[in-house]
Amino acid sequence: MDGSDPADASDAAPSPPDVEVPDALADVVDADTGEGELERTIGLVGGLAIGIGTMIGAGIFVFPGLAAENAGPAAAVSFAIGAVVALLVALPAAELATAMPRSGGGYFFISRGLGTAPGAVVGLGLWLGLVFASAFYLVGLGSYAGQVFLEAGIALPVDPAVPLGVAFGVGLTALSLFGTENTAALQNAIVIVLLVILTLFLSYGSLDALGVFGAESVPERFFPPGGALPVLQTAALVFTSYLGFAQVATVAGDIKEPSRNLPLAMVGSVVVVGVFYVVTIFVATSAFGSARLGEFGETAMVEVAREFVGFPGALAIVIAGLLATFSSANASILSASRAVYAVSRDDLIPEAASRINLAYGTPHVALGLAGGPIVALAATGQVELLAEVASFLHLVMYGLICVALVRLRRERPDWYAPAFRCPAGVAVAGVGGVASFALIAFMQPASIGVGVAIMVAAYGWYRYYATDVELRGDF
Amino acid sequence: MPDTPADDDAQPAPDRPSVLVPLAVLEGESLPAGTPELLANARVVLLGYHVIPEQTAAEQAREQFGETAMSKLDEFAARLATAGADVETRLVFTHDRETTVDRLIYEHDCLAVLVPNSTEQVESVLVALRGTVGVGRNTRLVAGLFADAGVAVTLYHALDEGESRDDGEAFLNGVRSDLVERGVDPDRIETAVEEGGVPIDAIASRAESHDAVVMGETDPSVTTFVFGMPSEQVAERFLGPVLVVQRERPEA
């Protein structure tokens, strides 16, 4: 990467014998280049927790009501479609991540595989995509925090979701600026608590829906009146629930044994959340009709739980929803700041953006560039628009990740030596790429408009600021 | 060793014990006074580390602070080397200090880790011994560091329950003869056996009349989680350098 002295790099000591298997690739990336070496501290569990923790907040705790309103019980199919598309992208992305286990994720793969211009569009798009995603999670978090007041019987004059979401946005940004506590351990614990609550709740709900505890619920018409179209539109809307696997790749530089842990964490987290989402929709739509669910809005799952197990169930889901949306919002803010760092490291934006505050050790400019717009967007309260724009920007990146894989497989540059090879790579990437772009077509025009405008602006910035930067194949 | 400055004529000393010296270089931690003298006969692994919060990519910190940290570290390494030590420097940007320290103990097969505190001189050392398990590593360290340095060594053992004073003395005499065999002047070795009490208090108060402490590491447990490692507690109260002898690490 930065003119490393080969003699210096070659004397990197061997990996500890039984702590971890030597990872040739990680050794090369981390080798001391005269400015110190890097410790990789995130293991497989940590990687899975990042992926699952980022994703599960949206799919289970925000979308079920909205999705069921649009697509009825077939919303389960929408989530399944999302899972398949995500998997088709996660596999090629995992291959690229093991070839380039560096912070920056999708942006890094595309800028190195396809060149600076697509890289700049994706890099700036990733930053804003995560900003939109975080704002969306914050509104969800605000809804659950508002639900706490409702459960406590405190009537509020206005819907508290948006003001509370904004407050949480400010709080989380401040926390990430000044907090030096060990948030990874907290994140792991939150994800484990969530999975336990959800597994209990969904097992009970599924058994009940199948008639184990009494009358089997009468299924309503599975497909909505519009047929397949609303199902696909809903798939495009809820795709925001699958953005987290790419976040694993944005911290690739910190993951131990990346050759093994990156693919497992990326693919594993998609599979886990996909199963949870599909079961959640099944349980939710068997408890209420789709129209009722839609009326409940973002906190529909609270009513579902109340229907099954009364107040304790509702309380458990409120707590789970708070934890889940909180961890999603937090993870996305941090990822957005990493994305800013990645583009700034490559001189696509001024270097000042990645400066670290020595007192706190945090990248305060990058965090500000993430937190500021997030708070502003959360204030709009446009849940569906925020979600779709986030999905749009991510889907563009996913499509280009697939293109990058196909191109790298064709050209086989010397530096491209992935430790994990996606089975049937070119075919998977081809289908994944087409599916990613196709899903965009089913979004609302407003979302597509905002997304395109952001991409055009990103390209304009590249033409103005960074035409002399060459990133293809640059390590 | 590749990174060893100024040891052209140092004999290849196979018995030099390797000691890890971790320093938080960017937080202003520097090599405490007396450390070069204490470790003059050691193979020092000088670890400069910087703990970064999880919000920050390790690469990002390295890019910004790597050079500064490295130049400080080189300065400390030169001081250690001038005093006679073989020095190898490592600079690590990490999210977790323990992971890094543990990895380097493995990689360099370190006999001990120094809790860096300053001392004016190195004339007498308190060696706190718990039992026969792994005691050979203590004697290797003590003999390797202090045999030729004319340092007075006090072997100390607090009696366990059911252990008689004779048992304790026999144990320390065994250690003493091992040290003599390894070249420590018998006149400079004292032994002290004490009835059990709180070992940390006993070690810390005895340490006051010495310049440095050598003690073993303790297995992590609930107690160590709540109160911290005994070696850290001793170091906090004693305020002088503490060499924490590491357990034998299992081979791969």
Side-chain angles (χ1 to χ4, degrees):
Chain A
M1 146 207 167
D2 41 22
S4 72
D5 176 2
D8 203 20
S10 64
D11 61 40
S15 279
D18 76 337
V19 177
E20 57 189 63
V21 185
D23 195 308
L25 194 69
D27 283 352
V28 172
V29 174
D30 303 344
D32 194 336
T33 55
E35 294 184 342
E37 52 200 294
L38 309 175
E39 190 78 51
R40 292 176 176 267
T41 46
I42 302 177
L44 178 58
V45 174
L48 280 168
I50 291 171
I52 296 174
T54 311
M55 290 191 268
I56 213 156
I60 291 184
F61 296 101
V62 184
F63 277 134
L66 304 174
E69 186 178 28
N70 294 341
V77 177
S78 307
F79 274 101
I81 292 172
V84 171
V85 175
L87 265 184
L88 287 173
V89 181
L91 285 164
E95 171 172 328
L96 293 172
T98 63
M100 309 171 230
R102 301 281 297 275
S103 292
Y107 158 71
F108 198 86
F109 313 151
I110 289 164
S111 58
R112 268 49 179 186
L114 297 178
T116 312
V121 171
V122 165
L124 297 171
L126 177 62
W127 159 45
L128 288 167
L130 288 163
V131 162
F132 275 86
S134 310
F136 160 75
Y137 296 134
L138 283 172
V139 178
L141 176 57
S143 305
Y144 275 87
Q147 189 73 22
V148 172
F149 288 100
L150 272 179
E151 299 294 333
I154 301 168
L156 294 173
V158 289
D159 180 5
V162 170
L164 284 173
V166 169
F168 275 114
V170 173
L172 276 175
T173 307
L175 190 72
S176 54
L177 276 173
F178 304 117
T180 50
E181 294 306 312
N182 191 336
T183 48
L186 186 67
Q187 176 88 349
N188 291 3
I190 288 181
V191 169
I192 290 167
V193 169
L194 267 175
L195 291 182
V196 169
I197 294 181
L198 286 173
T199 307
L200 289 174
F201 167 65
L202 293 178
S203 313
Y204 184 89
S206 306
L207 292 175
D208 188 274
L210 294 171
V212 177
F213 304 132
E216 191 175 344
S217 50
V218 185
E220 61 183 313
R221 215 174 98 133
F222 188 73
F223 277 101
L229 185 65
V231 176
L232 288 169
Q233 285 170 333
T234 307
L237 169 68
V238 301
F239 194 74
T240 320
S241 339
Y242 290 105
L243 303 186
F245 72 87
Q247 258 69 291
V248 182
T250 62
V251 293
D254 290 340
I255 291 196
K256 290 184 212 166
E257 285 184 67
S259 306
R260 166 180 173 267
N261 288 340
L262 269 175
L264 280 177
M266 292 170 76
V267 174
S269 54
V270 170
V271 171
V272 169
V273 299
V275 169
F276 272 98
Y277 292 165
V278 171
V279 177
T280 299
I281 297 297
F282 169 71
V283 169
T285 51
S286 66
F288 293 110
S290 310
R292 274 299 293 291
L293 275 177
E295 284 164 26
F296 295 135
E298 284 88 353
T299 52
M301 288 312 286
V302 177
E303 304 312 320
V304 174
R306 200 192 314 278
E307 176 77 8
F308 282 121
V309 261
F311 179 70
L315 191 66
I317 291 298
V318 168
I319 292 169
L322 283 170
L323 289 176
T325 45
F326 180 87
S327 82
S328 292
N330 187 42
S332 305
I333 291 176
L334 296 187
S335 294
S337 125
R338 292 263 172 130
V340 171
Y341 161 59
V343 287
S344 140
R345 178 184 58 193
D346 290 339
D347 295 325
L348 294 182
I349 59 172
E351 196 194 344
S354 62
R355 197 149 297 157
I356 298 173
N357 180 318
L358 185 53
Y360 298 103
T362 51
H364 54 290
V365 184
L367 283 167
L369 284 173
I374 287 170
V375 170
L377 285 174
T380 66
Q382 299 289 324
V383 176
E384 299 194 17
L385 182 75
L386 293 173
E388 283 203 345
V389 174
S391 294
F392 177 99
L393 293 168
H394 277 82
L395 281 167
V396 169
M397 177 174 87
Y398 293 168
L400 289 175
I401 284 177
C402 294
V403 175
L405 181 100
V406 172
R407 181 151 174 187
L408 289 170
R409 283 265 184 118
R410 285 263 165 78
E411 295 180 356
R412 297 163 200 261
D414 298 337
W415 52 265
Y416 188 68
F420 165 80
R421 289 187 76 85
C422 167
V426 173
V428 168
V431 179
V434 170
S436 301
F437 291 129
L439 213 46
I440 291 176
F442 293 100
M443 292 181 175
Q444 294 163 21
S447 315
I448 296 178
V450 175
V452 169
I454 288 174
M455 286 179 62
V456 169
Y459 183 74
W461 172 263
Y462 157 73
R463 298 290 302 180
Y464 161 71
Y465 187 82
T467 36
D468 55 342
V469 179
E470 179 51 52
L471 297 175
R472 242 190 112 205
D474 170 34
F475 278 91
Chain B
M1 285 294 120
D3 281 354
T4 314
D7 70 331
D8 325 77
D9 53 359
Q11 67 277 51
D15 284 347
R16 286 200 149 195
S18 51
V19 177
L20 184 72
V21 180
L23 292 175
V25 265
L26 289 170
E27 278 158 35
E29 195 174 354
S30 70
L31 198 64
T35 311
E37 292 71 31
L38 182 72
L39 299 177
N41 295 316
R43 190 165 70 79
V44 175
V45 179
L46 181 63
L47 163 65
Y49 64 90
H50 186 53
V51 179
I52 35 186
E54 272 138 16
Q55 300 89 303
T56 314
E59 277 174 80
Q60 199 171 355
R62 172 169 74 179
E63 213 158 275
Q64 196 167 332
F65 305 128
E67 264 176 69
T68 325
M70 201 49 119
S71 71
K72 279 194 188 174
L73 211 53
D74 285 342
E75 193 187 308
F76 301 150
R79 276 173 56 200
L80 287 164
T82 312
D86 296 336
V87 190
E88 191 171 344
T89 54
R90 300 286 295 269
L91 173 63
V92 183
F93 290 89
T94 180
H95 292 291
D96 181 45
R97 179 185 186 273
E98 297 318 312
T99 309
T100 302
V101 167
D102 211 49
R103 178 170 68 90
L104 289 186
I105 291 171
Y106 266 100
E107 283 183 13
H108 293 273
D109 196 14
C110 292
L111 208 48
V113 175
L114 178 74
V115 182
N117 277 326
S118 65
T119 175
E120 279 169 33
Q121 74 233 336
V122 186
E123 285 173 2
S124 72
V125 176
L126 180 73
V127 181
L129 296 164
R130 245 174 325 186
T132 46
V133 180
V135 75
R137 295 173 69 83
N138 288 270
T139 49
R140 261 170 65 201
L141 178 78
V142 171
L145 288 183
F146 307 120
D148 304 329
V151 173
V153 174
T154 302
L155 302 176
Y156 168 80
H157 177 65
L159 292 175
D160 286 330
E161 256 175 72
E163 195 184 18
S164 74
R165 189 162 273 276
D166 288 346
D167 294 339
E169 270 159 17
F171 164 58
L172 287 188
N173 283 330
V175 176
R176 178 199 173 100
S177 49
D178 190 9
L179 282 177
V180 172
E181 217 167 275
R182 286 174 186 270
V184 182
D185 182 352
D187 297 342
R188 293 190 165 275
I189 307 178
E190 273 181 41
T191 59
V193 174
E194 227 177 35
E195 298 297 333
V198 181
I200 294 161
D201 295 341
I203 296 171
S205 62
R206 274 203 171 251
E208 277 166 24
S209 49
H210 297 272
D211 303 317
V213 170
V214 175
M215 63 186 288
E217 68 171 330
T218 312
D219 287 316
S221 68
V222 177
T223 324
T224 61
F225 181 76
V226 177
F227 297 106
M229 285 291 178
S231 50
E232 287 163 14
Q233 289 173 269
V234 169
E236 262 170 40
R237 309 221 328 234
F238 164 51
L239 296 177
V242 177
L243 284 155
V244 185
V245 178
Q246 303 296 304
R247 267 172 313 225
E248 180 94 59
R249 295 297 205 261
E251 287 297 315

